[in-house]
Amino acid sequence: MSVKTKKTIKNVLYHLFVVAFGFIMLYPVIWMVLGSFKAKSEILGNNASFFPSEWLIENYTKGWKGAGEYTFGTFFKNSLIISCLATLGTVISSTMVSYALARIKFVGRKFWFTCMIMTMLLPGQVLMIPQYIIWNSLGMTGTFVPLILPKFLGYPFFIYMMMQFIKGLPKELDEAAYIDGCNKYQIFTKIVLPLLGPSIITTIVIQFYWTWDDYMGPLLYLTKPAKHTVSFAIKSFADAQGTDFGPMFAMSTLSLIPVFILFLFFNRYLMDGVTAGSVKG
Amino acid sequence: MKLKKVMALTMAGMMALSLAACGGEAASTESSQSTASKEESKEASAAPAESSAEAPAEESEYPDYSGETLSIMWWGSDTRHERTVKVIEMYEELTGIDIEYEYLDGSAYWTSFQAKMAANELPDVFQMGNNWLTYYDTIYPLNDYIADGTIDTTNISDAMLATTTNQANGDITGISNGTNARCFAYNPAIFDEAGVPYPTDNWTWDEFADACRKITEKTGNPAITTLEWETVTYSTVTQWKEGYNFFAMDGSDFAFNGDTEPLVYIMGLLTDLMKEGCIGDWGIQNEIGTNIEADWIAYGDAAMVMLSSNQFTALSKVAAESGIELELATFPRVKADGQSGMVVRSSQQLSIYSGSEKKDIAANFLNFWVNSVEANKILNCERGVSISSEVLSALQADSELTDETTAKIYAFIDKVGSFPDAANSSPAEPAAAEEIKNALKQTYYQGLTSGKFSSAQEAADGFWAEAQEIWKNY
Amino acid sequence: MEKQKRKTTLKEFMNRDNTVGYVFAAPFIIGFCALTLVPMALSLFYSFCSYQVGKPAEWIGLSNFIGLFRDSTFLNSLKVTIQYVIIGVPLKLVFALLIAMLLTKPTKAQGLYRAIYYIPSLIGGSVAVALVWKQLFGSRGPIVKAIKAMGATGFNFFGSDTWAFVPLVLCNAWQFGSSMLIFASGLKQIPKDYYEAASIDGAGAWKKFCYITLPSLSPIILFNLLMQLISGFMTFTQAQIITQGGPNHATEYVSLYIFNQGFAYARMGYACAASWVMLIIMAAVTGVVFKTSKTWVFYENED
């Protein structure tokens, strides 16, 4: 067996494995998507087949219509506004704060870092009510502000993630720039930001779908139908006493599309050879 | 003294309503269940519709609220949301008011409710469950509005009002959205197949166990998949001895003298059945949960299900797709001639927020909500059987609104209402009820089946001790 | 002249490390003080109170904490949470790292493959996932059928104290997308010439992994480990929507316990106390990880 055939076999095996395993990974999603074309009894019954016996489009039309005067058109719009702004806020604040905590030696750095880790350690369930009271006293409940503004004020997960990436960047770059006459602000915009490219894109992709899927935030702040988000409206299909499974699956399927498109778009920049993000040590 | 009076009224009222609503057809308890229901439905659809003629006159009574707003919040499924929104729009048209509404699913509702409560920002009108004692401070009693006629209760019996009345002080905490009874539904075809007689109105737990065993032997599936554990347990306590109740009528204490015998009895019986495979195991219970449409009975795999009577509509609809026709049955009793343990309760209620600045408008809306025939034609008892006798007879007269399934529900509620002990339960769950309920199921029933407790006696003793312990925390 | 001097002072001031640090950290500091500090302090205060939302809090000293350590349900929830973390976190991390490495192999289909593996994470913890999971692992689902075919009659995940956590751990591992993505961008940051140099020295794939990939990736591994530990300790949604904590409290994780106490049972003071016990445990675990990380995490530049 020549080296070339060996390599081909290895390649084929690789692709076979990735596809087969990918199918297992996707199986639950496929099940859901197919479920969005099924009648309720076929989703829940014992003898349900994998494929719908009859492809029903009604789940989509019924689901889209929603319960009150607003359709999923409104809910998608709301989700898009919140997710885009929240993601923007996260990127701006997290890059800034992580630069300070990872690269600048200022008094109290350790203290603020500890505070940041602390905020991640307290279960959100007990902070919900006091935070709601704060937003309410500011007259902001029922608006998008409580879901967006905090993201402009730093998101510990991404701050810490970017810190780890910044620490991986060679410090000589900063020093070289400093010698060239850049001040600390210019080092941030000219050196650190460009090199953070991959982690910024990672942040965009992750934060976008986290906000998109967020349920507790809208549940607390956006319960008026005009302000519902997609994730909230989908959950509303699921009352303990009677769940509209078909429409729920249909709207869950539609809800995947925007986040998936965003991922496809940005994934190009995360793949090898597309961006020049690789840093020479 | 006051308590006794309310109780007496409750009893009397229950009787009165049962007579009024069923149009003289009170003998249904005697005959076999399925035929009785069919007769009932015919009777109901044939009854003349007198009240609908009054509808236009009634509507002109509504004041002009142009420029005013009212906020309202409820939980439920999509069907409920759609119907409720339509009724709200109808009221907006009648009065010129602008109503801001919020709807959520059942579990999200309470999280949202507590946040709003913490911020003193509850809506003017909100849906409330039988857990209203927990949220008592947020509720404005309706007694004055009922006394001055803002909320017209001419067609609402005292028994129906009692379902939302605080037995301790007489406060009327809301207007019931309809009444329900927890009950069983069964598939007669499977009973026939297994050669088991249908449940009667006074069948016993022994007969139930026997039926389960025979059915499971025949079908190889659990005869019944899920149970509402606290409900069967508490109703067994009620059945055990006259005067027993798990919680006292005013929700202030337990009311069975710490007698663990009924607990031992029912815990032992049910866990034995589960171990034999006659009741769905905990996995099956979890998979189905409270989602009635996923229950195996709808697909011909299980013979019985436990449910709330208003869920029967949704269940029957799914079952019909597989050609299955279901019937309603009461709980089995401890003794055939003993207490029924059945209860007619308010499904949920609409309450007025104690901090609302628009209580008068809210009261007017409640009046519309409960008395308007047109509005209730849209709601059509999805939440429970309408408490207004006039509304109910108008709905029953309309064969489009009252199909065979709905007629079965009406007849059933009517029958349960006629049981002497049907009002024999606290209308409100004490604040500790939720935690006690979860402890009962998750610690003691599940512990007993998994062998954590060696006997039903040990589990029952443990439960009773913990229930008292939990009670102290509230 | 004087103007000139003031100007330089301002410029100097603005370029001081302390100033720069606070300018860049300002968003977090403002957010922390305005939105997090007060709620955190309140929750600490409530943990010493009998407090029901909507009613005034009543100081009861240490009663909540004493109650917690006598509460077998709470102690059990700590136990099952730790079990979940010990099994679930390494599983998810190893899985995410393996897939990330598998999918950095430069092929034309790389983008497609990544997309496929990423979709499950995009769904999030929605009700749809819960239902799919109940069907897959349910008593009539394909997995239980396969296990039964191997002879384990009466087996069933959601009914078993011992096995109920398995579907939850798998569901969590299945949604490994964010960890994978972070690993992938970390892998991308490793300079190519490290590998080239190693190849010239004749190092095999395993050696390259141990001596280049792991050390270079160690800051990211630390990050993912810490974040997964935290989210593992706080696991909530899946347990709430798939098993509701059952059976027999086998999947009643601390967050679910806290939620039930605070919202279902309206005992917010007790829930806050439980949260702070949880915080102390997690702070201890995080502290240990930080301490040991000095020995296995390598930064490009040590400061």
Side-chain angles (χ1 to χ4, degrees), chain B residues 51 178 208 312 319 367:
Chain B
S51 48
F208 168 79
F312 190 62
N367 183 45

Side-chain angles (χ1 to χ4, degrees), chain C residues 245-274:
Chain C
N248 224 334
H249 306 286
T251 57
E252 190 171 320
Y253 301 119
V254 177
S255 284
L256 187 57
Y257 176 87
I258 290 170
F259 183 83
N260 283 341
Q261 289 294 339
F263 287 91
Y265 309 152
R267 295 178 66 197
M268 199 44 105
Y270 198 65
C272 287

Side-chain angles (χ1 to χ4, degrees), chain A residues 2 8 50 82 113 121 140 150 166 195 220 245 257 266-267:
Chain A
S2 73
T8 320
F50 186 61
I82 295 169
F113 179 73
L121 300 184
M140 300 278 192
I166 292 176
L195 290 178
L220 285 178
F245 288 101
I257 294 172
F266 281 107
N267 186 37

Side-chain angles (χ1 to χ4, degrees), chain B residues 20-190:
Chain B
C22 84
E25 233 272 359
S28 57
T29 25
E30 295 289 76
S31 47
S32 128
Q33 168 79 44
S34 57
T35 49
S37 310
K38 274 177 190 147
E39 274 168 25
E40 191 92 38
S41 76
K42 275 182 214 148
E43 185 102 0
S45 49
E50 291 167 328
S51 48
S52 54
E54 289 168 24
E58 161 201 63
E59 277 159 22
S60 64
E61 288 165 21
Y62 289 95
D64 183 19
Y65 287 137
S66 308
E68 296 277 5
T69 59
L70 191 73
S71 52
I72 174 169
M73 167 166 148
W74 71 91
W75 75 83
S77 63
D78 246 33
T79 320
R80 180 178 301 171
H81 300 330
E82 274 166 32
R83 292 182 187 182
T84 309
V85 169
K86 269 187 205 153
V87 169
I88 285 173
E89 283 165 357
M90 189 189 263
Y91 185 73
E92 285 178 326
E93 205 143 289
L94 288 172
T95 60
I97 200 170
D98 182 31
I99 294 188
E100 283 187 347
Y101 55 85
E102 295 169 63
Y103 51 82
L104 297 101
D105 67 90
S107 62
Y109 184 86
W110 296 106
T111 311
S112 180
F113 188 90
Q114 294 201 23
K116 291 184 166 77
M117 179 170 82
N120 297 318
E121 284 283 321
L122 281 167
D124 303 308
V125 177
F126 48 78
Q127 189 166 310
M128 186 36 76
N130 295 321
N131 52 347
W132 46 256
L133 264 182
T134 311
Y135 302 105
Y136 205 65
D137 294 347
T138 66
I139 295 170
Y140 185 78
L142 303 179
N143 301 45
D144 292 347
Y145 288 120
I146 288 173
D148 72 11
T150 313
I151 299 173
D152 179 11
T153 54
T154 322
N155 297 311
I156 301 170
S157 70
D158 290 332
M160 291 294 111
L161 282 179
T163 60
T164 53
T165 302
N166 185 351
Q167 306 285 319
N169 60 11
D171 279 358
I172 297 170
T173 60
I175 286 290
S176 170
N177 288 334
T179 53
N180 277 334
R182 292 283 197 280
C183 55
F184 281 66
Y186 68 98
N187 181 349
I190 297 183

Side-chain angles (χ1 to χ4, degrees), chain A residues 132-200:
Chain A
Y132 183 88
I133 295 174
I134 292 177
W135 288 113
N136 189 64
S137 61
L138 296 171
M140 300 278 192
T141 49
T143 72
F144 295 159
V145 178
L147 300 188
I148 295 171
L149 187 62
K151 309 286 163 60
F152 278 88
L153 301 174
Y155 197 96
F157 180 92
F158 295 107
I159 295 175
Y160 186 40
M161 183 186 90
M162 287 186 182
M163 281 177 66
Q164 296 302 83
F165 278 102
I166 292 176
K167 282 183 185 170
L169 301 176
K171 212 162 193 183
E172 298 87 59
L173 287 172
D174 294 29
E175 279 152 15
Y178 192 69
I179 291 161
D180 287 350
C182 286
N183 61 31
K184 297 255 154 92
Y185 303 92
Q186 287 162 326
I187 291 175
F188 174 69
T189 53
K190 293 199 173 138
I191 309 284
V192 175
L193 263 191
L195 290 178
L196 270 183
S199 50
I200 290 176

Side-chain angles (χ1 to χ4, degrees), chain B residues 236-386:
Chain B
T236 309
V237 172
T238 312
Q239 291 169 355
W240 199 255
K241 202 169 166 188
E242 211 169 318
Y244 271 17
N245 250 329
F246 193 77
F247 294 120
M249 283 291 282
D250 58 359
S252 66
D253 202 353
F254 300 99
F256 61 104
N257 300 329
D259 182 355
T260 53
E261 272 182 42
L263 302 176
V264 175
Y265 173 78
I266 194 70
M267 289 172 100
L269 185 122
L270 294 178
T271 36
D272 283 349
L273 284 174
M274 190 191 272
K275 282 179 189 160
E276 291 166 41
C278 302
I279 296 176
D281 60 43
W282 295 111
I284 296 170
Q285 305 252 344
N286 172 65
E287 286 155 33
I288 296 168
T290 50
N291 188 2
I292 195 79
E293 292 157 316
D295 198 281
W296 294 10
I297 193 173
Y299 309 95
D301 296 332
M304 286 179 273
V305 64
M306 188 172 164
L307 76 174
S308 181
S309 55
N310 65 331
Q311 293 179 304
F312 190 62
T313 316
L315 176 66
S316 297
K317 210 172 136 197
V318 183
E321 286 177 37
S322 314
I324 296 166
E325 205 188 326
L326 303 173
E327 300 295 341
L328 287 166
T330 59
F331 291 162
R333 303 179 186 211
V334 174
K335 291 183 285 272
D337 57 351
Q339 304 261 91
S340 74
M342 295 289 292
V343 172
V344 177
R345 300 189 80 160
S346 165
S347 56
Q348 330 96 29
Q349 64 199 55
L350 288 188
S351 294
I352 296 181
Y353 176 37
S354 55
S356 166
E357 283 159 11
K358 291 160 185 162
K359 296 194 183 86
D360 293 349
I361 304 178
N364 189 276
F365 176 76
L366 289 195
N367 183 45
F368 167 78
W369 177 262
V370 69
N371 283 319
S372 162
V373 171
E374 294 308 309
N376 280 285
K377 277 185 176 167
I378 294 169
L379 297 170
N380 199 16
C381 298
E382 181 267 331
R383 284 170 164 93
V385 178
S386 173

